[in-house]
Amino acid sequence: MEISLLTPKCTLVPSHFFDPSSCADSLAEVAGLESGDKVEYIRIPQYDAVLIYATYEAVGTAISKENISGGEKPLPEMYFILRDLPSCTEYNKVLCSWQDGYLFLAIAQGKTLLLANVYKAPDFTTAEYYIFLSMKSLQLNPEVSTICLRSSVGLDEEMSLYRYFKAVEVL
């Protein structure tokens, strides 16, 4: 059983720049850390990177005590996005998850990761805006791309994506 933490407080650092003793400082540069945030990291070997993330310590403790059997550790949604990105079948890989008011998005071409980011998206229109803006900035055409979703969305949202993408897949 995998437990996903929907934390927007994360950053991806190339392995050769990663220093475990300064991971909190690295995350603080890109995310507003609070006093109760616990900073952790996990290696992402397929991209030769380390994902640094924060979780609120009290929430992490409650999850681990009440909901986890077998000692599985909750991991950030961005970890699962990056883990599952290679399973997208197209050369242009677009994988996202829209949950709890945030869009978790990763885009790759072949085995090369081009983008991994979290956007505040309180509604699906805003989520679509960030998807299209990201693709445009990378000069990728949605009309010839398949978008993969890690979380389910409503039928209206799925049909909206079909208007722009060649195909929509739910992993």
mmCIF file of all heavy atoms in Angstrom, residues 131-153:
data_model
loop_
_atom_site.group_PDB
_atom_site.id
_atom_site.type_symbol
_atom_site.label_atom_id
_atom_site.label_comp_id
_atom_site.label_asym_id
_atom_site.label_seq_id
_atom_site.Cartn_x
_atom_site.Cartn_y
_atom_site.Cartn_z
ATOM 1 N N ILE A 131 -0.697 23.252 -17.030
ATOM 2 C CA ILE A 131 -0.277 22.174 -17.938
ATOM 3 C C ILE A 131 0.096 22.759 -19.295
ATOM 4 O O ILE A 131 1.165 22.486 -19.842
ATOM 5 C CB ILE A 131 -1.384 21.111 -18.076
ATOM 6 C CG1 ILE A 131 -1.579 20.355 -16.766
ATOM 7 C CG2 ILE A 131 -1.056 20.138 -19.219
ATOM 8 C CD1 ILE A 131 -2.847 19.512 -16.715
ATOM 9 N N PHE A 132 -0.793 23.595 -19.850
ATOM 10 C CA PHE A 132 -0.542 24.160 -21.180
ATOM 11 C C PHE A 132 0.606 25.159 -21.172
ATOM 12 O O PHE A 132 1.405 25.194 -22.113
ATOM 13 C CB PHE A 132 -1.814 24.790 -21.742
ATOM 14 C CG PHE A 132 -2.920 23.794 -21.944
ATOM 15 C CD1 PHE A 132 -4.193 24.020 -21.445
ATOM 16 C CD2 PHE A 132 -2.691 22.605 -22.611
ATOM 17 C CE1 PHE A 132 -5.204 23.086 -21.614
ATOM 18 C CE2 PHE A 132 -3.697 21.661 -22.789
ATOM 19 C CZ PHE A 132 -4.952 21.911 -22.287
ATOM 20 N N LEU A 133 0.723 25.951 -20.119
ATOM 21 C CA LEU A 133 1.830 26.894 -20.019
ATOM 22 C C LEU A 133 3.169 26.148 -19.961
ATOM 23 O O LEU A 133 4.132 26.532 -20.633
ATOM 24 C CB LEU A 133 1.671 27.775 -18.772
ATOM 25 C CG LEU A 133 2.754 28.822 -18.555
ATOM 26 C CD1 LEU A 133 2.707 29.875 -19.668
ATOM 27 C CD2 LEU A 133 2.578 29.488 -17.192
ATOM 28 N N SER A 134 3.208 25.058 -19.201
ATOM 29 C CA SER A 134 4.435 24.257 -19.103
ATOM 30 C C SER A 134 4.791 23.647 -20.449
ATOM 31 O O SER A 134 5.952 23.659 -20.864
ATOM 32 C CB SER A 134 4.265 23.155 -18.056
ATOM 33 O OG SER A 134 4.032 23.719 -16.791
ATOM 34 N N MET A 135 3.792 23.112 -21.127
ATOM 35 C CA MET A 135 4.056 22.495 -22.432
ATOM 36 C C MET A 135 4.513 23.541 -23.450
ATOM 37 O O MET A 135 5.428 23.292 -24.233
ATOM 38 C CB MET A 135 2.827 21.744 -22.918
ATOM 39 C CG MET A 135 2.551 20.526 -22.044
ATOM 40 S SD MET A 135 1.374 19.407 -22.748
ATOM 41 C CE MET A 135 2.321 18.698 -24.083
ATOM 42 N N LYS A 136 3.894 24.707 -23.400
ATOM 43 C CA LYS A 136 4.283 25.769 -24.330
ATOM 44 C C LYS A 136 5.720 26.218 -24.063
ATOM 45 O O LYS A 136 6.495 26.415 -25.001
ATOM 46 C CB LYS A 136 3.329 26.960 -24.211
ATOM 47 C CG LYS A 136 3.646 28.076 -25.174
ATOM 48 C CD LYS A 136 2.666 29.214 -25.070
ATOM 49 C CE LYS A 136 3.042 30.304 -26.047
ATOM 50 N NZ LYS A 136 2.133 31.451 -25.953
ATOM 51 N N SER A 137 6.074 26.361 -22.796
ATOM 52 C CA SER A 137 7.438 26.800 -22.472
ATOM 53 C C SER A 137 8.476 25.775 -22.911
ATOM 54 O O SER A 137 9.625 26.129 -23.179
ATOM 55 C CB SER A 137 7.568 27.097 -20.982
ATOM 56 O OG SER A 137 7.569 25.909 -20.237
ATOM 57 N N LEU A 138 8.087 24.509 -22.997
ATOM 58 C CA LEU A 138 8.990 23.453 -23.460
ATOM 59 C C LEU A 138 8.843 23.171 -24.953
ATOM 60 O O LEU A 138 9.465 22.258 -25.486
ATOM 61 C CB LEU A 138 8.731 22.167 -22.664
ATOM 62 C CG LEU A 138 9.020 22.259 -21.166
ATOM 63 C CD1 LEU A 138 8.484 21.035 -20.441
ATOM 64 C CD2 LEU A 138 10.509 22.447 -20.915
ATOM 65 N N GLN A 139 7.984 23.946 -25.608
ATOM 66 C CA GLN A 139 7.709 23.833 -27.040
ATOM 67 C C GLN A 139 7.207 22.439 -27.413
ATOM 68 O O GLN A 139 7.624 21.850 -28.403
ATOM 69 C CB GLN A 139 8.937 24.217 -27.855
ATOM 70 C CG GLN A 139 9.361 25.642 -27.623
ATOM 71 C CD GLN A 139 10.589 26.043 -28.408
ATOM 72 O OE1 GLN A 139 11.235 25.230 -29.059
ATOM 73 N NE2 GLN A 139 10.901 27.323 -28.374
ATOM 74 N N LEU A 140 6.275 21.923 -26.599
ATOM 75 C CA LEU A 140 5.641 20.637 -26.865
ATOM 76 C C LEU A 140 4.197 20.886 -27.303
ATOM 77 O O LEU A 140 3.513 21.735 -26.746
ATOM 78 C CB LEU A 140 5.654 19.753 -25.616
ATOM 79 C CG LEU A 140 7.034 19.397 -25.072
ATOM 80 C CD1 LEU A 140 6.894 18.598 -23.789
ATOM 81 C CD2 LEU A 140 7.833 18.621 -26.091
ATOM 82 N N ASN A 141 3.758 20.136 -28.279
ATOM 83 C CA ASN A 141 2.418 20.302 -28.828
ATOM 84 C C ASN A 141 1.453 19.310 -28.173
ATOM 85 O O ASN A 141 1.605 18.097 -28.358
ATOM 86 C CB ASN A 141 2.465 20.084 -30.344
ATOM 87 C CG ASN A 141 1.150 20.355 -31.016
ATOM 88 O OD1 ASN A 141 0.132 20.592 -30.360
ATOM 89 N ND2 ASN A 141 1.159 20.320 -32.334
ATOM 90 N N PRO A 142 0.447 19.801 -27.438
ATOM 91 C CA PRO A 142 -0.513 18.887 -26.814
ATOM 92 C C PRO A 142 -1.271 18.027 -27.825
ATOM 93 O O PRO A 142 -1.637 16.894 -27.526
ATOM 94 C CB PRO A 142 -1.479 19.809 -26.070
ATOM 95 C CG PRO A 142 -0.814 21.122 -25.996
ATOM 96 C CD PRO A 142 0.174 21.186 -27.116
ATOM 97 N N GLU A 143 -1.498 18.547 -29.016
ATOM 98 C CA GLU A 143 -2.289 17.829 -30.025
ATOM 99 C C GLU A 143 -1.645 16.518 -30.465
ATOM 100 O O GLU A 143 -2.323 15.638 -30.980
ATOM 101 C CB GLU A 143 -2.548 18.724 -31.233
ATOM 102 C CG GLU A 143 -3.439 19.905 -30.914
ATOM 103 C CD GLU A 143 -3.578 20.868 -32.082
ATOM 104 O OE1 GLU A 143 -2.888 20.687 -33.114
ATOM 105 O OE2 GLU A 143 -4.374 21.804 -31.955
ATOM 106 N N VAL A 144 -0.333 16.384 -30.279
ATOM 107 C CA VAL A 144 0.351 15.144 -30.655
ATOM 108 C C VAL A 144 0.867 14.402 -29.410
ATOM 109 O O VAL A 144 1.672 13.487 -29.525
ATOM 110 C CB VAL A 144 1.515 15.405 -31.641
ATOM 111 C CG1 VAL A 144 0.983 15.971 -32.952
ATOM 112 C CG2 VAL A 144 2.559 16.318 -31.035
ATOM 113 N N SER A 145 0.397 14.821 -28.237
ATOM 114 C CA SER A 145 0.857 14.237 -26.978
ATOM 115 C C SER A 145 -0.285 13.546 -26.244
ATOM 116 O O SER A 145 -1.444 13.915 -26.382
ATOM 117 C CB SER A 145 1.430 15.334 -26.060
ATOM 118 O OG SER A 145 2.498 16.009 -26.685
ATOM 119 N N THR A 146 0.080 12.577 -25.448
ATOM 120 C CA THR A 146 -0.847 11.900 -24.548
ATOM 121 C C THR A 146 -0.566 12.400 -23.141
ATOM 122 O O THR A 146 0.592 12.459 -22.733
ATOM 123 C CB THR A 146 -0.657 10.377 -24.604
ATOM 124 O OG1 THR A 146 -0.969 9.924 -25.921
ATOM 125 C CG2 THR A 146 -1.547 9.655 -23.609
ATOM 126 N N ILE A 147 -1.606 12.756 -22.419
ATOM 127 C CA ILE A 147 -1.429 13.142 -21.020
ATOM 128 C C ILE A 147 -1.864 11.972 -20.148
ATOM 129 O O ILE A 147 -2.892 11.346 -20.400
ATOM 130 C CB ILE A 147 -2.195 14.437 -20.658
ATOM 131 C CG1 ILE A 147 -1.840 14.879 -19.230
ATOM 132 C CG2 ILE A 147 -3.690 14.283 -20.851
ATOM 133 C CD1 ILE A 147 -2.280 16.289 -18.886
ATOM 134 N N CYS A 148 -1.048 11.664 -19.165
ATOM 135 C CA CYS A 148 -1.349 10.582 -18.230
ATOM 136 C C CYS A 148 -1.695 11.195 -16.879
ATOM 137 O O CYS A 148 -1.050 12.153 -16.447
ATOM 138 C CB CYS A 148 -0.153 9.647 -18.078
ATOM 139 S SG CYS A 148 0.335 8.845 -19.613
ATOM 140 N N LEU A 149 -2.701 10.643 -16.243
ATOM 141 C CA LEU A 149 -3.147 11.137 -14.940
ATOM 142 C C LEU A 149 -2.910 10.064 -13.893
ATOM 143 O O LEU A 149 -3.253 8.903 -14.099
ATOM 144 C CB LEU A 149 -4.632 11.486 -14.986
ATOM 145 C CG LEU A 149 -5.069 12.485 -16.062
ATOM 146 C CD1 LEU A 149 -6.583 12.555 -16.127
ATOM 147 C CD2 LEU A 149 -4.479 13.850 -15.785
ATOM 148 N N ARG A 150 -2.350 10.474 -12.769
ATOM 149 C CA ARG A 150 -2.147 9.549 -11.664
ATOM 150 C C ARG A 150 -3.346 9.546 -10.723
ATOM 151 O O ARG A 150 -3.558 8.604 -9.979
ATOM 152 C CB ARG A 150 -0.889 9.926 -10.881
ATOM 153 C CG ARG A 150 -0.176 8.719 -10.311
ATOM 154 C CD ARG A 150 1.029 9.112 -9.524
ATOM 155 N NE ARG A 150 0.755 9.186 -8.108
ATOM 156 C CZ ARG A 150 0.572 8.141 -7.316
ATOM 157 N NH1 ARG A 150 0.630 6.930 -7.803
ATOM 158 N NH2 ARG A 150 0.353 8.297 -6.035
ATOM 159 N N SER A 151 -4.131 10.602 -10.771
ATOM 160 C CA SER A 151 -5.345 10.685 -9.956
ATOM 161 C C SER A 151 -6.540 10.749 -10.898
ATOM 162 O O SER A 151 -6.433 11.220 -12.020
ATOM 163 C CB SER A 151 -5.311 11.925 -9.067
ATOM 164 O OG SER A 151 -5.249 13.094 -9.861
ATOM 165 N N SER A 152 -7.652 10.273 -10.427
ATOM 166 C CA SER A 152 -8.840 10.334 -11.280
ATOM 167 C C SER A 152 -9.424 11.745 -11.236
ATOM 168 O O SER A 152 -9.301 12.457 -10.239
ATOM 169 C CB SER A 152 -9.878 9.312 -10.823
ATOM 170 O OG SER A 152 -10.267 9.584 -9.497
ATOM 171 N N VAL A 153 -10.026 12.126 -12.341
ATOM 172 C CA VAL A 153 -10.717 13.408 -12.429
ATOM 173 C C VAL A 153 -12.134 13.124 -12.914
ATOM 174 O O VAL A 153 -12.432 12.031 -13.393
ATOM 175 C CB VAL A 153 -9.996 14.388 -13.394
ATOM 176 C CG1 VAL A 153 -8.626 14.773 -12.861
ATOM 177 C CG2 VAL A 153 -9.883 13.824 -14.787
#
